Amino acid sequence: MSSKTVETLPEATVLFAGDSGDGMQLTGTQFTLATAHAMNDLATLPDFPAEIRAPVGTTYGVSGFQLHFGSVDIRTPGDEVDLLVSMNPAALVVNLDRVKAGGTILVNSNSFGKKDLSLANLDSNPLEDGSLDRFRVIQVELTRLTRETLKDTDLNQKQIDRSKNMFALGLALWLYSRPIEPAQRWLETKFARKPEIRDANLELLKKGFHFGETTEQFVTRYEVTPATLPPGRYRAVQGVQALAMGIVAAADKSGLPITYGSYPITPASDVLHALSRYKNHGIMTIQAEDEIAAVGMAIGASFGGALGITGTSGPGIALKGEAMGLAHIMELPLVIVNVQRGGPSTGLPTKTEQSDLMQALFGRNGDAPMPVIAASTPGDCFEVAYEACRIAVKYMTPVILLSDGYLANGSAPWLIPDPDSLNDFEVTFAEKANATEDGEDVFHPYIRDEKTLARPWAKPGTPNMEHRIGGLEKADGTGNVSYDAKNHEKMTRLRAEKVERVQQEMKPLEIFGDEDADLLIIGWGSTRGAIEAGVTRALNAGHKAAAVHIRWVHPLPADLGEVLSRYSTYLVPELNNGQLVRILRDEFLLPFEAMKKIQGRPFGPSEIANKIAEMVG
Amino acid sequence: MSDNDSNKPEGRKPTLPPGMGQPSGKKPTLPPGTGKPAGRKPTLPPGAAKPAARKPAMPPGMKPPGGAPPPGMPSGDGASGLTRADFSSDQDVRWCPGCGDYAILATVQRLMPELGVPRENLVFISGIGCSSRFPYYMNTYGMHSIHGRAPTIATGIKASRPDLDVWMITGDGDSLSIGGNHIIHIMRRNVDLQIIMFNNQIYGLTKGQYSPTSEVGKVTKSTPFGSIDHPFNPIALVLGADSAFAARTMDRDPKHMKTILKQAHEFKGTGFVEVYQNCNIFNDGAFFDFTEKATKSDRAIFFEHGKPLTYAGGTKGLRLNGFHLENIDLESGDWGVDDCLVYDETSRELATILARVYWREDLPQPFGVFYREDRPTYDAQVNDQVQSVIKRSGKGSLEDLLAEGDTWVVG
């Protein structure tokens, strides 16, 4: 049917960029869905401004969605962009430096008027002044073609113009030989009650697809064959979705009701949105009046025998600090989710960063350590959420779960897990006296389990187990208020030792890359994909390197010291000003080199590969 | 100077703030005891020869044999078969001798057996401050949490465990200052629990700074030249936050306190009870006008739903004149009981008018249930919603959820 040449690519990176009102996130999401259907491996990077509707046409109102897909192993949203779809000059200006030399730029040529150029602070038209000579530029009259297509509908001009992203989507789907059906099905469901809008969008999608076929601007069409992923059933999943499902899995496997208290904050609100739909899975959600109330409600629920969870981002953690200390000293299970964003203060609300690690480790008054677990991929958020819940209950401790904006909003294919494969999650409530006092059987809430050092969890409603807990230091065993000096030291050490014992839950560390290398890269959290892709490139270029990824940032894995002893140089890449690197230096007194990126964006594999080349090349 | 010396309160009453002697009718910001000669000392030494001396809730070493109710008090044997002693924990009560907190603790311990609630279903949640040590002294489940946050913890436990009988203990600083945000939100949500707010108009545990209910002009360690903060009127505050049940009582009238607490407990929703509580160390006599024999009858009015507003042994009353309450003399022959306002605790308008009778020279301070509104509780609704979703969509299956949406098979 096609007269075009088809070129097969191992991988490609596409970036949709436009005004925040242009529907770029939606376009990107639909392209992702089609790519998942094409069975490619993929990774995405939605990148949008903090303003909901920034002034039209400005550079600070540009919203982007980057997608990297391939038949090969895809670990990051891509270093350099092969195709930039730019809806206006501002989107072009903001994203031009991400397009690889020789890459393709598809622009809406109707949006390069004088006013559009001036809004993007351009003195001349880049379509005419030669500044795009390095690229292949395809000018499409998106606005005119959209208006033409919909001229016979009853939609008004604004509605028509807002639909042009569907034309662009159709065209991009054609260009990379993606199936059009998933987007069609989505539109049919989404606008089932608005037939006019539905039909207009379906028409544009199709027109865009056909336009690629007929226009002479494209001589080549690309295809990316399915990736060789491990066998099984897959779906595309975003980090927030996976995290929410991990919490559901914890409720399901433990039989514990879960109370999720949260105050809306970017980029953690989507966890609340997702969980609020899962009421029939035993999840109660409460939108609290503030961050402190959100954690307080979770603590109250845990005291009552449910599992309390609270979710937020860095600024919210700052507010919850005192309550987290309370949960620590009371020794109640609690999970605190931090979907990190650029800081400090309000910082960069919609951009990603790993700069709350120190806050997670030390951000409370007193000695109040708690286990800290970090997710490394969107799909990993599922397992990490489940483990955080399990450890919180098993060790009767608050657990901090670190995700970030990149993981939360990013998508990846996900091998749907078998619930039976998850770790056992048994819960035992104390129902009987555990001590004698003056010849009477009594319950002492701070007598510990030998293996985990966890205290018993007796829930209100259980006869003869009445007890009081609180923020004051308590006497070992009885839990009565105690100001005794030696007791305080003992209790502080016991609580810390209990957290250390979470080490016994960890699997041995795995080394990625060349085990015989001199250089070991130590990463944590969402940098895993970039680090491992970077190591792969380095190895292909003949540079020896290995990488180890830390899931539990506190306590550190018991075998980390032994692993480190096998190498002689160390690199610690982080999206912050050097946090894990300080912990490692303190713990192991080895010459760790920091690699810092603080731009609100994830590492690209080439940055890692270049750094490796610099160190070992 | 020893620690104890430094803990001593200022030896004098605050000088009267500007604005004293305003025309009556306008809500003045007057310190307690205004209208009396300035500097007048309370006539009654706290804790002396008064009911307080018989209370078992006593400092260590003063514990009388548990259980015996004082004369005039109903025996502790309630529907639960428990007695007052069953509700005393084994911990020494560490409040200052003579503190009004003892009377509140004793009253609550005395009330518990009458409620018919199994002891294991009772939960006391507090914040920080003198009052918030309360849960340690109750032999029930309890939590002494962090400053101002008790409403959030109480909401969390009641929402997830609606079967429990939750009581929240707080003070004027805990609930109206650091916890101000949470107190208004628990009111609007109408979580089914009881809040006992000990109002002593001072910060006790931090050794005597003015509180958000302290009168203007209050001289304290942090305000050596007098406080300039306008005080909150707690009942008016919670009514403004759409409280569904708001009442006031006092430490020196345990009988009234018990009646009010019982009503708060019977109420389905947030039963807010403000208790005037004497801090004999840092704010001694703050409420003596209303609580002590010599002046109580004239300066306090104990009102009840469906009854006319009379006081001073029935010799005086309050009538509604437009939107204002005014004092009428029932002995002069000009007015009768029929002229007095018959109180309706379900009227938001009357509650608003009566709540604003606050430290008035011309009117007595009201004690009783200001407002009661039956409306759905938060805990019931949040659980109903869960149940209705389960009813509609069935109990969720984890496997189905994981495989939701578009999926594809590899291999």
Side-chain angles (χ1 to χ4, degrees), chain A residues 203-224:
Chain A
E203 182 64 18
L204 281 171
L205 183 69
K206 211 164 60 186
K207 271 277 186 300
F209 200 85
H210 291 161
F211 180 81
E213 192 67 42
T214 49
T215 181
E216 290 178 4
Q217 286 176 288
F218 295 106
V219 280
T220 311
R221 188 183 185 191
Y222 305 106
E223 82 174 5
V224 179

PDB file of all heavy atoms in Angstrom, chain A residues 203-224:
ATOM      1  N   GLU A 203     -11.313  11.849  13.309  1.00  0.00           N
ATOM      2  CA  GLU A 203     -11.099  12.268  11.926  1.00  0.00           C
ATOM      3  C   GLU A 203      -9.695  12.848  11.751  1.00  0.00           C
ATOM      4  O   GLU A 203      -8.978  12.521  10.802  1.00  0.00           O
ATOM      5  CB  GLU A 203     -12.183  13.300  11.554  1.00  0.00           C
ATOM      6  CG  GLU A 203     -12.146  13.804  10.122  1.00  0.00           C
ATOM      7  CD  GLU A 203     -12.430  12.700   9.095  1.00  0.00           C
ATOM      8  OE1 GLU A 203     -12.976  11.651   9.480  1.00  0.00           O
ATOM      9  OE2 GLU A 203     -12.081  12.893   7.915  1.00  0.00           O
ATOM     10  N   LEU A 204      -9.308  13.695  12.698  1.00  0.00           N
ATOM     11  CA  LEU A 204      -7.988  14.325  12.618  1.00  0.00           C
ATOM     12  C   LEU A 204      -6.862  13.302  12.752  1.00  0.00           C
ATOM     13  O   LEU A 204      -5.845  13.386  12.061  1.00  0.00           O
ATOM     14  CB  LEU A 204      -7.851  15.379  13.715  1.00  0.00           C
ATOM     15  CG  LEU A 204      -8.526  16.711  13.434  1.00  0.00           C
ATOM     16  CD1 LEU A 204      -8.503  17.581  14.675  1.00  0.00           C
ATOM     17  CD2 LEU A 204      -7.815  17.433  12.272  1.00  0.00           C
ATOM     18  N   LEU A 205      -7.069  12.373  13.661  1.00  0.00           N
ATOM     19  CA  LEU A 205      -6.063  11.331  13.871  1.00  0.00           C
ATOM     20  C   LEU A 205      -5.802  10.580  12.567  1.00  0.00           C
ATOM     21  O   LEU A 205      -4.667  10.365  12.142  1.00  0.00           O
ATOM     22  CB  LEU A 205      -6.568  10.373  14.959  1.00  0.00           C
ATOM     23  CG  LEU A 205      -5.642   9.247  15.395  1.00  0.00           C
ATOM     24  CD1 LEU A 205      -4.440   9.808  16.147  1.00  0.00           C
ATOM     25  CD2 LEU A 205      -6.388   8.262  16.299  1.00  0.00           C
ATOM     26  N   LYS A 206      -6.922  10.237  11.913  1.00  0.00           N
ATOM     27  CA  LYS A 206      -6.839   9.497  10.656  1.00  0.00           C
ATOM     28  C   LYS A 206      -6.206  10.359   9.553  1.00  0.00           C
ATOM     29  O   LYS A 206      -5.353   9.906   8.805  1.00  0.00           O
ATOM     30  CB  LYS A 206      -8.250   9.066  10.245  1.00  0.00           C
ATOM     31  CG  LYS A 206      -8.299   7.772   9.491  1.00  0.00           C
ATOM     32  CD  LYS A 206      -9.717   7.197   9.450  1.00  0.00           C
ATOM     33  CE  LYS A 206     -10.687   8.165   8.771  1.00  0.00           C
ATOM     34  NZ  LYS A 206     -12.080   7.723   8.821  1.00  0.00           N
ATOM     35  N   LYS A 207      -6.628  11.620   9.516  1.00  0.00           N
ATOM     36  CA  LYS A 207      -6.097  12.547   8.506  1.00  0.00           C
ATOM     37  C   LYS A 207      -4.581  12.702   8.660  1.00  0.00           C
ATOM     38  O   LYS A 207      -3.845  12.737   7.672  1.00  0.00           O
ATOM     39  CB  LYS A 207      -6.775  13.916   8.636  1.00  0.00           C
ATOM     40  CG  LYS A 207      -8.062  14.042   7.817  1.00  0.00           C
ATOM     41  CD  LYS A 207      -7.734  14.397   6.378  1.00  0.00           C
ATOM     42  CE  LYS A 207      -8.917  14.689   5.494  1.00  0.00           C
ATOM     43  NZ  LYS A 207      -9.911  13.658   5.310  1.00  0.00           N
ATOM     44  N   GLY A 208      -4.155  12.813   9.882  1.00  0.00           N
ATOM     45  CA  GLY A 208      -2.722  12.949  10.143  1.00  0.00           C
ATOM     46  C   GLY A 208      -1.968  11.720   9.663  1.00  0.00           C
ATOM     47  O   GLY A 208      -0.902  11.811   9.038  1.00  0.00           O
ATOM     48  N   PHE A 209      -2.523  10.555   9.971  1.00  0.00           N
ATOM     49  CA  PHE A 209      -1.936   9.272   9.566  1.00  0.00           C
ATOM     50  C   PHE A 209      -1.824   9.206   8.035  1.00  0.00           C
ATOM     51  O   PHE A 209      -0.774   8.896   7.478  1.00  0.00           O
ATOM     52  CB  PHE A 209      -2.819   8.148  10.112  1.00  0.00           C
ATOM     53  CG  PHE A 209      -2.120   6.823  10.202  1.00  0.00           C
ATOM     54  CD1 PHE A 209      -1.352   6.499  11.310  1.00  0.00           C
ATOM     55  CD2 PHE A 209      -2.238   5.872   9.188  1.00  0.00           C
ATOM     56  CE1 PHE A 209      -0.720   5.267  11.416  1.00  0.00           C
ATOM     57  CE2 PHE A 209      -1.611   4.637   9.279  1.00  0.00           C
ATOM     58  CZ  PHE A 209      -0.857   4.340  10.406  1.00  0.00           C
ATOM     59  N   HIS A 210      -2.929   9.558   7.354  1.00  0.00           N
ATOM     60  CA  HIS A 210      -2.964   9.510   5.890  1.00  0.00           C
ATOM     61  C   HIS A 210      -2.084  10.569   5.258  1.00  0.00           C
ATOM     62  O   HIS A 210      -1.532  10.385   4.178  1.00  0.00           O
ATOM     63  CB  HIS A 210      -4.405   9.661   5.382  1.00  0.00           C
ATOM     64  CG  HIS A 210      -5.237   8.467   5.705  1.00  0.00           C
ATOM     65  ND1 HIS A 210      -6.611   8.488   5.720  1.00  0.00           N
ATOM     66  CD2 HIS A 210      -4.877   7.210   6.064  1.00  0.00           C
ATOM     67  CE1 HIS A 210      -7.072   7.296   6.065  1.00  0.00           C
ATOM     68  NE2 HIS A 210      -6.025   6.501   6.278  1.00  0.00           N
ATOM     69  N   PHE A 211      -1.960  11.695   5.948  1.00  0.00           N
ATOM     70  CA  PHE A 211      -1.142  12.789   5.430  1.00  0.00           C
ATOM     71  C   PHE A 211       0.289  12.312   5.224  1.00  0.00           C
ATOM     72  O   PHE A 211       0.939  12.623   4.219  1.00  0.00           O
ATOM     73  CB  PHE A 211      -1.192  13.978   6.397  1.00  0.00           C
ATOM     74  CG  PHE A 211      -0.384  15.159   5.950  1.00  0.00           C
ATOM     75  CD1 PHE A 211      -0.890  16.055   5.014  1.00  0.00           C
ATOM     76  CD2 PHE A 211       0.897  15.392   6.457  1.00  0.00           C
ATOM     77  CE1 PHE A 211      -0.140  17.144   4.602  1.00  0.00           C
ATOM     78  CE2 PHE A 211       1.647  16.478   6.048  1.00  0.00           C
ATOM     79  CZ  PHE A 211       1.132  17.366   5.118  1.00  0.00           C
ATOM     80  N   GLY A 212       0.769  11.525   6.156  1.00  0.00           N
ATOM     81  CA  GLY A 212       2.129  10.985   6.048  1.00  0.00           C
ATOM     82  C   GLY A 212       2.277  10.144   4.793  1.00  0.00           C
ATOM     83  O   GLY A 212       3.290  10.220   4.077  1.00  0.00           O
ATOM     84  N   GLU A 213       1.245   9.363   4.544  1.00  0.00           N
ATOM     85  CA  GLU A 213       1.252   8.469   3.391  1.00  0.00           C
ATOM     86  C   GLU A 213       1.291   9.268   2.081  1.00  0.00           C
ATOM     87  O   GLU A 213       2.001   8.916   1.146  1.00  0.00           O
ATOM     88  CB  GLU A 213      -0.026   7.610   3.451  1.00  0.00           C
ATOM     89  CG  GLU A 213      -0.047   6.448   2.505  1.00  0.00           C
ATOM     90  CD  GLU A 213       0.982   5.380   2.856  1.00  0.00           C
ATOM     91  OE1 GLU A 213       1.131   5.065   4.058  1.00  0.00           O
ATOM     92  OE2 GLU A 213       1.654   4.900   1.939  1.00  0.00           O
ATOM     93  N   THR A 214       0.540  10.355   2.019  1.00  0.00           N
ATOM     94  CA  THR A 214       0.362  11.063   0.753  1.00  0.00           C
ATOM     95  C   THR A 214       1.353  12.192   0.517  1.00  0.00           C
ATOM     96  O   THR A 214       1.739  12.448  -0.614  1.00  0.00           O
ATOM     97  CB  THR A 214      -1.069  11.649   0.677  1.00  0.00           C
ATOM     98  OG1 THR A 214      -1.326  12.332   1.899  1.00  0.00           O
ATOM     99  CG2 THR A 214      -2.092  10.566   0.470  1.00  0.00           C
ATOM    100  N   THR A 215       1.789  12.836   1.582  1.00  0.00           N
ATOM    101  CA  THR A 215       2.655  13.991   1.360  1.00  0.00           C
ATOM    102  C   THR A 215       4.010  13.560   0.802  1.00  0.00           C
ATOM    103  O   THR A 215       4.515  12.468   1.105  1.00  0.00           O
ATOM    104  CB  THR A 215       2.873  14.799   2.659  1.00  0.00           C
ATOM    105  OG1 THR A 215       3.703  15.921   2.342  1.00  0.00           O
ATOM    106  CG2 THR A 215       3.562  13.972   3.716  1.00  0.00           C
ATOM    107  N   GLU A 216       4.573  14.408   0.023  1.00  0.00           N
ATOM    108  CA  GLU A 216       5.862  14.062  -0.551  1.00  0.00           C
ATOM    109  C   GLU A 216       7.013  14.490   0.335  1.00  0.00           C
ATOM    110  O   GLU A 216       8.181  14.263   0.028  1.00  0.00           O
ATOM    111  CB  GLU A 216       5.979  14.690  -1.942  1.00  0.00           C
ATOM    112  CG  GLU A 216       5.041  13.996  -2.901  1.00  0.00           C
ATOM    113  CD  GLU A 216       5.072  14.615  -4.275  1.00  0.00           C
ATOM    114  OE1 GLU A 216       5.883  15.537  -4.493  1.00  0.00           O
ATOM    115  OE2 GLU A 216       4.291  14.179  -5.118  1.00  0.00           O
ATOM    116  N   GLN A 217       6.653  15.112   1.458  1.00  0.00           N
ATOM    117  CA  GLN A 217       7.703  15.554   2.375  1.00  0.00           C
ATOM    118  C   GLN A 217       8.421  14.382   3.033  1.00  0.00           C
ATOM    119  O   GLN A 217       9.536  14.501   3.464  1.00  0.00           O
ATOM    120  CB  GLN A 217       7.101  16.456   3.461  1.00  0.00           C
ATOM    121  CG  GLN A 217       6.752  17.838   2.936  1.00  0.00           C
ATOM    122  CD  GLN A 217       6.074  18.653   4.006  1.00  0.00           C
ATOM    123  OE1 GLN A 217       4.929  18.409   4.357  1.00  0.00           O
ATOM    124  NE2 GLN A 217       6.788  19.641   4.523  1.00  0.00           N
ATOM    125  N   PHE A 218       7.714  13.271   3.127  1.00  0.00           N
ATOM    126  CA  PHE A 218       8.350  12.089   3.723  1.00  0.00           C
ATOM    127  C   PHE A 218       8.672  11.075   2.641  1.00  0.00           C
ATOM    128  O   PHE A 218       7.778  10.626   1.945  1.00  0.00           O
ATOM    129  CB  PHE A 218       7.421  11.417   4.737  1.00  0.00           C
ATOM    130  CG  PHE A 218       7.139  12.268   5.935  1.00  0.00           C
ATOM    131  CD1 PHE A 218       5.904  12.875   6.095  1.00  0.00           C
ATOM    132  CD2 PHE A 218       8.111  12.454   6.916  1.00  0.00           C
ATOM    133  CE1 PHE A 218       5.639  13.651   7.196  1.00  0.00           C
ATOM    134  CE2 PHE A 218       7.837  13.227   8.022  1.00  0.00           C
ATOM    135  CZ  PHE A 218       6.609  13.838   8.173  1.00  0.00           C
ATOM    136  N   VAL A 219       9.928  10.755   2.522  1.00  0.00           N
ATOM    137  CA  VAL A 219      10.281   9.706   1.568  1.00  0.00           C
ATOM    138  C   VAL A 219      10.469   8.385   2.307  1.00  0.00           C
ATOM    139  O   VAL A 219      10.321   7.317   1.754  1.00  0.00           O
ATOM    140  CB  VAL A 219      11.555  10.045   0.783  1.00  0.00           C
ATOM    141  CG1 VAL A 219      11.228  10.998  -0.347  1.00  0.00           C
ATOM    142  CG2 VAL A 219      12.625  10.626   1.693  1.00  0.00           C
ATOM    143  N   THR A 220      10.823   8.506   3.581  1.00  0.00           N
ATOM    144  CA  THR A 220      11.101   7.311   4.358  1.00  0.00           C
ATOM    145  C   THR A 220      10.152   7.213   5.544  1.00  0.00           C
ATOM    146  O   THR A 220       9.828   8.204   6.182  1.00  0.00           O
ATOM    147  CB  THR A 220      12.547   7.344   4.893  1.00  0.00           C
ATOM    148  OG1 THR A 220      13.410   7.659   3.815  1.00  0.00           O
ATOM    149  CG2 THR A 220      12.943   6.013   5.493  1.00  0.00           C
ATOM    150  N   ARG A 221       9.743   6.002   5.793  1.00  0.00           N
ATOM    151  CA  ARG A 221       8.963   5.714   6.982  1.00  0.00           C
ATOM    152  C   ARG A 221       9.797   4.745   7.814  1.00  0.00           C
ATOM    153  O   ARG A 221      10.563   3.952   7.266  1.00  0.00           O
ATOM    154  CB  ARG A 221       7.659   5.048   6.540  1.00  0.00           C
ATOM    155  CG  ARG A 221       6.662   4.855   7.629  1.00  0.00           C
ATOM    156  CD  ARG A 221       5.450   4.121   7.057  1.00  0.00           C
ATOM    157  NE  ARG A 221       4.419   4.021   8.077  1.00  0.00           N
ATOM    158  CZ  ARG A 221       3.341   3.271   7.952  1.00  0.00           C
ATOM    159  NH1 ARG A 221       3.144   2.568   6.857  1.00  0.00           N
ATOM    160  NH2 ARG A 221       2.454   3.226   8.920  1.00  0.00           N
ATOM    161  N   TYR A 222       9.705   4.851   9.134  1.00  0.00           N
ATOM    162  CA  TYR A 222      10.542   4.000   9.976  1.00  0.00           C
ATOM    163  C   TYR A 222       9.741   2.903  10.629  1.00  0.00           C
ATOM    164  O   TYR A 222       8.538   3.024  10.854  1.00  0.00           O
ATOM    165  CB  TYR A 222      11.215   4.840  11.079  1.00  0.00           C
ATOM    166  CG  TYR A 222      11.980   5.998  10.527  1.00  0.00           C
ATOM    167  CD1 TYR A 222      11.486   7.299  10.642  1.00  0.00           C
ATOM    168  CD2 TYR A 222      13.185   5.805   9.866  1.00  0.00           C
ATOM    169  CE1 TYR A 222      12.178   8.376  10.126  1.00  0.00           C
ATOM    170  CE2 TYR A 222      13.893   6.877   9.338  1.00  0.00           C
ATOM    171  CZ  TYR A 222      13.382   8.163   9.476  1.00  0.00           C
ATOM    172  OH  TYR A 222      14.070   9.212   8.955  1.00  0.00           O
ATOM    173  N   GLU A 223      10.440   1.857  10.982  1.00  0.00           N
ATOM    174  CA  GLU A 223       9.788   0.854  11.816  1.00  0.00           C
ATOM    175  C   GLU A 223      10.781   0.376  12.862  1.00  0.00           C
ATOM    176  O   GLU A 223      11.998   0.388  12.641  1.00  0.00           O
ATOM    177  CB  GLU A 223       9.226  -0.297  10.990  1.00  0.00           C
ATOM    178  CG  GLU A 223      10.228  -1.341  10.631  1.00  0.00           C
ATOM    179  CD  GLU A 223       9.578  -2.546   9.936  1.00  0.00           C
ATOM    180  OE1 GLU A 223       8.372  -2.549   9.643  1.00  0.00           O
ATOM    181  OE2 GLU A 223      10.331  -3.496   9.684  1.00  0.00           O
ATOM    182  N   VAL A 224      10.256   0.045  14.005  1.00  0.00           N
ATOM    183  CA  VAL A 224      11.090  -0.451  15.096  1.00  0.00           C
ATOM    184  C   VAL A 224      10.475  -1.780  15.500  1.00  0.00           C
ATOM    185  O   VAL A 224       9.312  -1.827  15.934  1.00  0.00           O
ATOM    186  CB  VAL A 224      11.096   0.540  16.283  1.00  0.00           C
ATOM    187  CG1 VAL A 224      11.941  -0.001  17.414  1.00  0.00           C
ATOM    188  CG2 VAL A 224      11.597   1.905  15.837  1.00  0.00           C
TER     189      VAL A 224
END
